[in-house]
Amino acid sequence: MRRTRHQAVRLRLALTAVQEGRLDQQAHAARALWNLLHELFTLSGARRPSWSYLDSEIRWARANVDWLNVLPAQAAQAVLKTYRQAWVNCWERRSMAPKFKPRCRVAPAVDIPQGRDLLVARVHRRWGMANVPKVGRVRFRWSRDLGGVARGGPEGAITGARLVKDALGWHIVFRVKQSVPVVATNDAAGSHVGIDRGVALPLALSDGKAYTHGAWLTRKERERLSLAERSAAHKERYQRPGQQRSRRLRTVYAEIKNLRARAKRRVLDWQHKVTSIISGHYAVVSVEALNVVSMIKSAKGTIESPGVHVAQKSGLNRAIASEAWGRTVELLMYKVADRGGLLIQVPAQGTSLRCSECGAVEAGSRESQARFTCRNPECGWTANADFNASRNIDQAGLALASVAGRAVVRQT
C-alpha cells in the first residue's frame, strides 16, 4: 500500500549581485500587487469586484506598468490565487481577514507555481541548478535529495517552488510530491513514548531519556547582540518621527537581524535532528495539546487591573518562545506519519499534578519545578517532575489510541 506525500524542501541559493537585485524587484512587485488587490477589493463597498475582473486588471497592469512587469505572469497569478484563498479562509472562519502588507514586516517572497518551468538539474555533488523566470539559471546548495531529479534518488516530482528571503539571504523551497509505502519503519514497531516539553528540560521522555541543548548563541555572539540592541535603542532616541533611518541605524538593525536569524536556524537544526531520532524509534508518540499562543501572552494587564510578576512572566514567555514548542509538534507530526507511526495530542490538564505510578492527585505532590513526590501514603513515589509528566502523557496517549482502535504493545 502506498500513499502520496507532499513535502517542502528548503535549500540555500547562491546568487550573483544581478540575480539578487532582480529577485528583490520581483518580491517588492508581488507585495505591492497584493496591496493593490486588497485596496481594490475592500474599497469597492458592498459590490466587490469579481475574481475574473481582478485577473483582467492584473493583466492590464503588467502590460502598462513597468515596475509591475518585472513580476512573471505565473507569479502574478499566484498572488491573486493566494489572496482569494485568504478570503475563503476568512469566510469559513479559519483565519482572520487579509491585511495590508507593509514593507518592513513582510519577508520578500516570489512564487513559481509550475514545476515544469524550473528545469532542475544536479550538476555537482553539492550544487544544483534551477531556472527562475526573468532571472535565469540560479545555483542552489544541494543539501537534500529532491524527488525525480537525481539518478538513483527518491522517486517523485517537483510541482513548484517558492523563493523566500531572510536575514541569511535567498532560499528556494521546492514543493515535492512523492509516492511512499505505508509501512512502519520504526526500530520497535510497538514502542510508545510520552513527551513533556519544558524550559529547564526541553524534552523529557517517558522512558527516562531527555534531550537538552546549550545556548543558541555563543557568549561572544550574545555580547554582540546586546551591544547592537543598546546601540539601536540609543540611535532611535534621536530619530525624528517620519525621518528616514540613518545608514548607521540600518547597519545596526541588519546585525541584530543576522544574529537572531543565526539563532533561529540553530533551533531548527536541533529540532530536526531530535524529532528524526524520536520518530525513528517510537511508533506511538504522545504530546500535550498546548495553546502556546495563550501561554506566552503578556502579564502587564491594564491600568485599572495591572498584572503581577510582569518581569518574571516576560522572561518565561521569552524562554517558551525560544523553544518553539509548536514547531516541535509540527515536525513530529509529519515525521512520525512518514514512518507509519501515530502522533497523539492529549489534554494537558493534570499531567503535572497526577502521580504516574498510582494515579493519585494530591495537593503538594509537586514539591518544586523539578521534583515530584506523591503524597499518597500508600505510594510515596518520587521522581523528576518532567519525567512524571511525560509518563502521564504516555498513559493518556495509550488510552486514546486504544479508543481509536490502534493496537499498542505496552513497554515493560
Side-chain angles (χ1 to χ4, degrees):
M1 184 176 178
R2 302 180 70 87
R3 67 181 182 87
T4 301
R5 179 181 66 182
H6 297 271
Q7 187 178 12
V9 180
R10 182 183 175 113
L11 303 172
R12 189 166 184 174
L13 289 171
L15 303 174
T16 64
V18 175
Q19 291 174 340
E20 188 170 357
R22 290 176 181 175
L23 276 183
D24 288 338
Q25 291 177 353
Q26 290 188 15
H28 291 312
R31 180 189 57 83
L33 178 60
W34 172 285
N35 293 334
L36 291 174
L37 289 173
H38 185 62
E39 184 176 4
L40 183 62
F41 191 78
T42 55
L43 296 183
S44 301
R47 300 184 60 182
R48 290 178 173 175
S50 63
W51 302 113
S52 59
Y53 173 76
L54 294 177
D55 178 62
S56 63
E57 289 295 300
I58 291 177
R59 297 175 185 271
W60 180 90
R62 289 190 65 256
N64 295 273
V65 181
D66 293 337
W67 61 266
L68 194 56
N69 190 35
V70 300
L71 188 65
Q74 295 290 341
Q77 295 298 320
V79 174
L80 176 60
K81 182 179 179 180
T82 306
Y83 183 75
R84 180 180 181 277
Q85 187 60 44
W87 275 111
V88 171
N89 294 338
C90 173
W91 293 331
E92 296 180 356
R93 300 183 181 276
R94 292 197 299 264
S95 64
M96 302 295 291
K99 296 181 180 180
F100 180 85
K101 289 187 176 182
R103 181 169 183 170
C104 60
R105 292 176 181 240
V106 177
V110 181
D111 199 57
I112 306 176
Q114 300 293 337
R116 64 173 181 266
D117 298 334
L118 292 168
L119 303 176
V120 179
R122 187 169 188 174
V123 297
H124 187 265
R125 181 172 60 90
R126 296 182 179 179
W127 295 99
M129 299 284 288
N131 185 60
V132 177
K134 295 199 173 187
V135 176
R137 299 289 287 177
V138 298
R139 291 198 311 159
F140 61 87
R141 187 76 172 178
W142 196 284
S143 55
R144 294 180 62 186
D145 286 334
L146 299 174
V149 177
R151 181 178 300 177
E155 297 181 359
I158 297 176
T159 60
R162 185 172 178 83
L163 304 166
V164 294
K165 185 180 183 181
D166 59 12
L168 299 178
W170 280 96
H171 297 74
I172 184 167
V173 183
F174 291 103
R175 293 188 286 270
V176 181
K177 180 176 68 174
Q178 292 178 321
S179 178
V180 296
V182 183
V183 293
T185 59
N186 308 78
D187 292 348
S191 62
H192 54 87
V193 72
I195 301 177
D196 180 66
R197 292 163 288 172
V199 175
L201 187 61
L203 294 180
L205 276 58
S206 59
D207 59 0
K209 297 180 181 178
Y211 292 95
T212 61
H213 57 77
W216 302 123
L217 294 176
T218 64
R219 181 180 60 83
K220 291 185 178 181
E221 288 171 342
R222 293 196 299 269
E223 292 176 354
R224 284 173 51 197
L225 179 60
S226 178
L227 180 62
E229 289 175 341
R230 291 198 302 269
S231 178
H234 175 75
K235 290 178 172 59
E236 287 172 353
R237 293 173 53 190
Y238 300 95
Q239 193 77 18
R240 299 176 184 175
Q243 182 184 6
Q244 185 178 3
R245 292 173 180 171
S246 64
R247 184 169 58 183
R248 292 182 177 179
L249 183 56
R250 291 198 301 269
T251 302
V252 174
Y253 281 159
E255 184 175 5
I256 295 174
K257 190 176 181 180
N258 290 338
L259 289 171
R260 290 179 177 174
R262 186 178 302 177
K264 181 179 179 180
R265 289 181 67 85
R266 289 172 181 169
V267 174
L268 190 59
D269 177 72
W270 180 82
Q271 288 180 317
H272 269 293
K273 292 177 179 177
V274 170
T275 53
S276 296
I277 295 173
I278 294 174
S279 61
H281 284 77
Y282 304 98
V284 179
V285 179
S286 302
V287 296
E288 289 178 301
L290 300 176
N291 188 349
V292 182
V293 177
S294 299
M295 293 177 63
I296 61 176
K297 283 186 177 180
S298 174
K300 287 184 178 180
T302 61
I303 298 178
E304 295 78 10
S305 179
V308 296
H309 304 296
V310 178
Q312 294 88 332
K313 184 64 169 60
S314 299
L316 179 61
N317 291 347
R318 287 192 297 269
I320 294 175
S322 67
E323 294 297 330
W325 289 348
R327 188 166 59 212
T328 300
V329 175
E330 291 177 0
L331 296 177
L332 278 172
M333 189 174 297
Y334 82 84
K335 291 185 179 183
V336 171
D338 284 346
R339 291 163 172 82
L342 178 65
L343 178 73
I344 302 175
Q345 299 194 47
V346 303
Q349 291 78 6
T351 56
S352 299
L353 302 177
R354 176 181 178 273
C355 176
S356 60
E357 188 70 18
C358 67
V361 179
E362 300 288 343
S365 292
R366 184 152 185 175
E367 298 178 344
S368 64
Q369 185 66 26
R371 201 67 188 168
F372 180 91
T373 301
C374 182
R375 297 301 181 184
N376 183 5
E378 299 179 358
C379 179
W381 187 72
T382 181
N384 179 275
D386 296 325
F387 175 61
N388 176 72
S390 65
R391 290 184 53 173
N392 287 325
I393 295 170
D394 183 37
Q395 294 168 10
L398 291 176
L400 292 177
S402 61
V403 171
R406 178 67 177 261
V408 179
V409 179
R410 180 174 294 275
Q411 291 176 337
T412 58

